[in-house]
Amino acid sequence: APRLPAFKEPTTQGSGDLTGLDLDGRAEGLLFESDDADGVDLEDAVFTECIFRSVALQGAPMARVTFGDCRIEEVNAPVLEAPESGWWNTAVVGGRIGSAELYGATFRSVLFERAKLGYLNLRRAKIKDVMFRDVHIEELDAGTANLERVSFVDCTIDTLVLNGAKLKDVDLRGARLRTLSGISSLKGATVTYEQLMDLAPILAGELGLKIE
C-alpha cells in the first residue's frame, strides 16, 4: 500500500491573493480561497503548507511549480498546465479538471480524492506512494512513467495507457477499467480475477493468440 501521511489540514497564517501576491518564488502557510489565477505566472513557484480552496487555475502557467504539505480543494480548470511540477505530502480533494498536463512531474505521498479528471497526462512522471480514491478519470496516460506503490480505490478509468511504463506494487483492483493500452507494461500490477478475464481479449491480441 502507498505510504501516506495523515494529511492534516495545514495551519495557515493568513490569506493570500494569487493575483496581487508578490510570491518572490515562494509562499508558505497561506490560504488561497475563491481566487482566479488566470494570467498569473506561477512557473517555478514553491508553495508549502498552503491551502487552495475553490481556486480557478485556468490560464496560469505552472511549469515546475512545487506543492509541499499542501491541501488543494475543489480546484477547477478546463486545462491545468503544470508539466515537470513537484507534489509532496499533498492532498487534492474534489474539483474538476478537463485536461491535466502533468507530464514529467514528480509525485511523492499524494492523495487524489473525489475528483473528476478528463485527460490526466502523466507521461514520463515519477509517481511513488500515491492513492486515487473515488476518482473518475476519462483517460489516464502514464506512458513511459514510473509508478511505485500506487493504488486505486473506488475509481473509474475509462482509458488507461501504460505503453512503456514501469510498474512496481501498483494495485488496480479498485479501478473499473474499460479500455487498456500497453498491456505488456502491466508487470508489477495487481488485478482481480474478474479484471483478468476482462483483459483476456486484449492479452490474446497482444500475444497474437487465436481464440476459437
Side-chain angles (χ1 to χ4, degrees):
R3 298 171 186 174
L4 300 175
F7 291 118
K8 295 180 180 178
E9 185 167 306
T11 302
T12 54
Q13 303 168 8
S15 296
D17 180 359
L18 287 173
T19 59
L21 181 66
D22 181 10
L23 291 175
D24 193 27
R26 26 190 86 244
E28 183 175 354
L30 294 177
L31 168 64
F32 300 94
E33 188 167 17
S34 302
D35 218 342
D36 188 348
D38 188 16
V40 180
D41 187 357
L42 299 179
E43 290 189 355
D44 298 302
V46 178
F47 296 93
T48 54
E49 297 182 1
C50 291
I51 299 176
F52 293 78
R53 187 170 291 148
S54 300
V55 174
L57 292 174
Q58 169 70 7
M62 297 172 60
R64 299 173 302 279
V65 68
T66 297
F67 298 98
D69 294 298
C70 290
R71 185 173 179 86
I72 302 173
E73 303 175 355
E74 303 299 337
V75 166
N76 293 288
V79 179
L80 178 67
E81 294 275 0
E84 299 179 350
S85 48
W87 306 68
W88 317 93
N89 300 341
T90 289
V92 181
V93 181
R96 182 189 296 267
I97 298 173
S99 177
E101 299 293 340
L102 301 174
Y103 51 88
T106 301
F107 295 84
R108 184 68 181 265
S109 300
V110 176
L111 170 67
F112 288 89
E113 185 173 38
R114 301 194 310 275
K116 292 187 178 181
L117 307 172
Y119 174 55
L120 179 54
N121 184 353
L122 294 176
R123 294 184 65 82
R124 297 187 290 103
K126 295 178 181 179
I127 306 164
K128 188 172 183 179
D129 292 317
V130 173
M131 176 181 285
F132 294 85
R133 185 163 58 207
D134 191 17
V135 175
H136 182 192
I137 306 172
E138 293 180 14
E139 181 175 350
L140 171 53
D141 186 351
T144 65
N146 288 289
L147 295 86
E148 181 177 354
R149 290 198 298 267
V150 178
S151 69
F152 296 84
V153 180
D154 294 328
C155 292
T156 299
I157 305 174
D158 294 338
T159 300
L160 177 60
V161 179
L162 292 175
N163 302 77
K166 294 181 180 180
L167 278 58
K168 182 179 179 182
D169 297 325
V170 174
D171 191 349
L172 292 170
R173 290 175 295 177
R176 292 178 289 280
L177 303 175
R178 295 180 179 171
T179 306
L180 174 65
S181 175
I183 197 167
S184 60
S185 296
L186 272 178
K187 180 181 178 181
T190 301
V191 299
T192 66
Y193 180 80
E194 290 76 13
Q195 285 174 318
L196 181 60
M197 292 301 98
D198 290 339
L199 294 172
I202 304 174
L203 181 60
E206 190 92 6
L207 296 174
L209 296 176
K210 260 187 205 179
I211 302 174
E212 297 181 352

